[in-house]
Amino acid sequence: MKASFDKNGYFTGNYALTGDLRNSVNVNSIPDESDRIKITSYQYIDGEWVFDQDYYRHRLEEGHSEELARIKAEMTGKSKQNLKRYLEIYKLSSSCHGGIEKQYSITSEKQQHLANMILTATMAAQAGIPYQPSWNAAGEECTYDWTIGELQQLAMEMEGVVRPLVSKQQRMEVAIQEAHSLEDLESIDISF
C-alpha cells in the first residue's frame, strides 16, 4: 500500500492499494480516523504512524472551522444531554401536598404533564365540570386528592429549580459558540 505525503511530511489522506501516487511511500496501513483534519495530522516516521497533536490543534485554530463547528455541535448536544440526565436523577423535595414532604421528579416530561394537569383541572373548574386532579411523588402511585393550588405550588417549585439549570445550559451554549479554538472549547465545563 502506498500513502501520499505533503511537503512537510504529513499524510494527505490519499493512498493506493496498488499503483503509484505522487510523493508516496510504502506503508502497512493507514490511520484509522474518520476526521479529515485528524487523519492529515499524522506523519509516518520509522515505519509507524505518529499523530501530531500540536499540528492538529494549530490546523483547527487556523481556519479549519468545519471541524471546530462539528466539535461545537457535539458539545452543545452533550450539554443538553447532561441537563436532561441531571433532571432525570434530581428529585425536588416539597411539602406542597398536604404539608407532607416528599420527593418529586422534575423531568421535562413530568413538567409538561404537570402543566397539562393544571390546565385541565383549571378548565374543568371554570366550566363547572367535576374533575379531580391527581399527581404522584417519585416512586409512588398517583393520588386523587390534589387541589389545583397544590399542583400550582409544585409547578412553581419545579420552575424555581429548572429555570436556573436551563439558563446555565444556555450560558454553556453561548460560550461554546463564541469559542475560537479547541483550547477554548476544552476549558468550558458542561457538567451539572
Side-chain angles (χ1 to χ4, degrees):
M1 174 184 314
K2 295 220 174 220
S4 175
F5 296 86
D6 68 14
K7 65 181 180 179
N8 296 316
Y10 290 96
F11 182 41
T12 64
N14 297 322
Y15 66 96
L17 298 175
T18 60
D20 203 14
L21 286 174
R22 188 171 178 211
N23 299 323
S24 67
V25 297
N26 287 322
V27 296
N28 293 326
S29 64
I30 60 166
D32 185 22
E33 299 282 356
S34 57
D35 175 341
R36 177 81 178 159
I37 296 174
K38 191 171 271 190
I39 200 169
T40 56
S41 296
Y42 278 86
Q43 293 179 307
Y44 196 68
I45 302 171
D46 296 328
E48 298 289 327
W49 288 106
V50 178
F51 179 68
D52 187 337
Q53 181 71 34
D54 292 334
Y55 184 66
Y56 175 66
R57 286 176 189 264
H58 171 75
R59 292 183 67 211
L60 286 176
E61 293 170 4
E62 290 295 313
H64 289 86
S65 59
E66 187 175 304
E67 179 64 12
L68 202 56
R70 183 189 65 76
I71 294 169
K72 285 180 179 185
E74 284 178 7
M75 279 187 72
T76 298
K78 188 156 175 60
S79 72
K80 290 177 182 179
Q81 285 292 36
N82 289 348
L83 173 58
K84 181 180 180 188
R85 210 170 304 121
Y86 182 84
L87 293 178
E88 289 169 353
I89 295 168
Y90 183 88
K91 300 295 181 255
L92 170 67
S93 187
S94 175
S95 55
C96 62
H97 185 229
I100 300 167
E101 187 168 319
K102 293 198 176 185
Q103 304 293 310
Y104 295 91
S105 296
I106 62 169
T107 63
S108 302
E109 296 81 11
K110 281 291 197 179
Q111 294 172 57
Q112 185 62 45
H113 185 63
L114 180 57
N116 288 339
M117 179 64 68
I118 293 168
L119 180 61
T120 301
T122 301
M123 288 179 0
Q126 289 173 347
I129 300 170
Y131 180 79
Q132 179 56 57
S134 63
W135 199 252
N136 66 296
E140 296 183 14
E141 291 183 27
C142 284
T143 59
Y144 292 82
D145 59 348
W146 284 74
T147 67
I148 294 173
E150 288 172 332
L151 293 172
Q152 289 171 332
Q153 180 182 339
L154 179 58
M156 293 307 295
E157 290 175 9
M158 281 186 185
E159 174 70 5
V161 171
V162 172
R163 184 185 292 205
L165 294 171
V166 170
S167 292
K168 179 179 179 179
Q169 189 279 325
Q170 290 170 340
R171 284 191 302 276
M172 290 174 187
E173 204 166 326
V174 168
I176 289 166
Q177 293 311 312
E178 290 178 348
H180 296 294
S181 68
L182 188 58
E183 196 171 86
D184 291 345
L185 287 173
E186 288 172 348
S187 71
I188 300 169
D189 180 10
I190 58 170
S191 62
F192 284 87

